[in-house]
Amino acid sequence: PRADQRNRFIPFVLVFFGFLLVAFVFFSPQLNRVEAFVPATPVDRPQVDRNSSGDPNAPVKLVEFSDYQCPFCKRFWEETEAQVIDAYVRTGKVQFNYRSAGNWVSQNIVQGGVDSKKAAMAAYCAADQNKFWQMHDALFTNNRDVEEQGSFTSRRLQEIAQSVGLDMTAFNSCYSNNKYQDQVNQDFQDAVSAGITGTPFFVITYTANGQTQTDTIEGAQAFSAFQQKLDAALAAAGAQ
């Protein structure tokens, strides 16, 4: 009887392990797959210096505090950034600077977004090879518009970095050693000091009557909102 029972049990064991084998073969490539990199459209930015673009002596400075995972930040990048560059940066009126502000939760200023910080550090590492803006564009092109859903795992950031032509030995050393962790944290603290309530957040700085003045733009506003603020700053600075 025991032999008969054992013989009847063996087919069930074989079927079970066969199922596990099929599941492993099917799901293993899915788990290890890295989503294909989507090439970013090249953008011609004037007078690039790491994470800034434009004349360093421009009468008006525009700083964007942003997040590579933020869908509204991506909207600004897609719809408005090029217009600002063409109308103000390329003409020498404004210097544009991109800085990281991590991830934000509701109306409370809460620093989080592990993948956001990873992406920001990766972009600064790319700046060491004079490819900050190529990495910047590639990160926005390849985010999934949903925060903390795997857009910027370390493995995926390596794929993106390789696709924009970085020296991977230098990039991996920079990234794995957290070379720019302090800079990313400082970006966040400076954003808080500037009064940020969400991303993207823009700070306009200029000098009028010998005094440093600032203005802000909150959110992914239309180009007309930037025109209004930047033209007012240029007029106040006597540079319009």
Side-chain angles (χ1 to χ4, degrees):
R2 289 184 178 179
D4 290 341
Q5 186 178 20
R6 183 171 60 251
N7 290 337
R8 286 196 301 268
F9 184 67
I10 289 175
F12 291 103
V13 173
L14 294 176
V15 169
F16 175 73
F17 282 103
F19 173 79
L20 290 180
L21 179 61
V22 170
F24 176 79
V25 170
F26 179 79
F27 287 109
S28 180
Q30 304 300 317
L31 294 174
N32 293 319
R33 179 177 62 88
V34 174
E35 188 172 318
F37 170 80
V38 179
T41 302
V43 177
D44 178 27
R45 293 180 172 86
Q47 293 182 258
V48 168
D49 181 15
R50 295 188 65 82
N51 58 313
S52 69
S53 175
D55 186 351
N57 297 314
V60 173
K61 305 293 192 295
L62 176 65
V63 175
E64 176 188 6
F65 289 100
S66 188
D67 176 356
Y68 287 115
Q69 289 195 105
C70 163
F72 298 104
C73 302
K74 184 175 182 178
R75 180 189 299 175
F76 168 78
W77 170 75
E78 289 178 325
E79 300 177 0
T80 311
E81 183 184 295
Q83 297 180 74
V84 172
I85 290 173
D86 288 340
Y88 295 97
V89 180
R90 205 176 304 283
T91 56
K93 298 177 181 179
V94 172
Q95 185 190 41
F96 180 65
N97 189 288
Y98 180 96
R99 299 181 68 183
S100 169
N103 192 21
W104 297 80
V105 180
S106 69
Q107 295 182 358
N108 299 315
I109 301 177
V110 179
Q111 186 178 15
V114 173
D115 285 355
S116 294
K117 295 174 71 174
K118 287 180 179 179
M121 289 191 292
Y124 282 133
C125 285
D128 287 352
Q129 300 184 42
N130 300 316
K131 289 194 174 184
F132 175 88
W133 292 103
Q134 290 89 330
M135 191 69 172
H136 165 91
D137 295 340
L139 289 168
F140 274 129
T141 299
N142 287 275
N143 81 13
R144 294 192 176 106
D145 294 322
V146 180
E147 296 175 355
E148 300 305 309
Q149 293 297 314
S151 290
F152 303 128
T153 61
S154 295
R155 183 179 178 189
R156 184 159 164 75
L157 287 171
Q158 288 178 322
E159 292 289 320
I160 295 173
Q162 188 170 21
S163 296
V164 299
L166 295 182
D167 178 320
M168 293 307 297
T169 300
F171 173 81
N172 287 334
S173 175
C174 174
Y175 178 78
S176 62
N177 289 319
N178 296 320
K179 179 178 178 180
Y180 288 106
Q181 179 171 279
D182 288 344
Q183 181 166 345
V184 171
N185 290 337
Q186 187 62 56
D187 283 351
F188 180 84
Q189 294 303 321
D190 290 347
V192 172
S193 297
I196 189 172
T197 57
T199 54
F201 183 79
F202 302 86
V203 179
I204 300 167
T205 306
Y206 58 96
T207 301
N209 300 319
Q211 300 293 320
T212 299
Q213 305 290 333
T214 61
D215 199 355
T216 61
I217 299 174
E218 298 183 22
Q221 302 289 332
F223 175 62
S224 58
F226 287 86
Q227 281 182 305
Q228 181 180 356
K229 295 274 190 173
L230 292 174
D231 286 347
L234 288 164
Q240 196 169 33

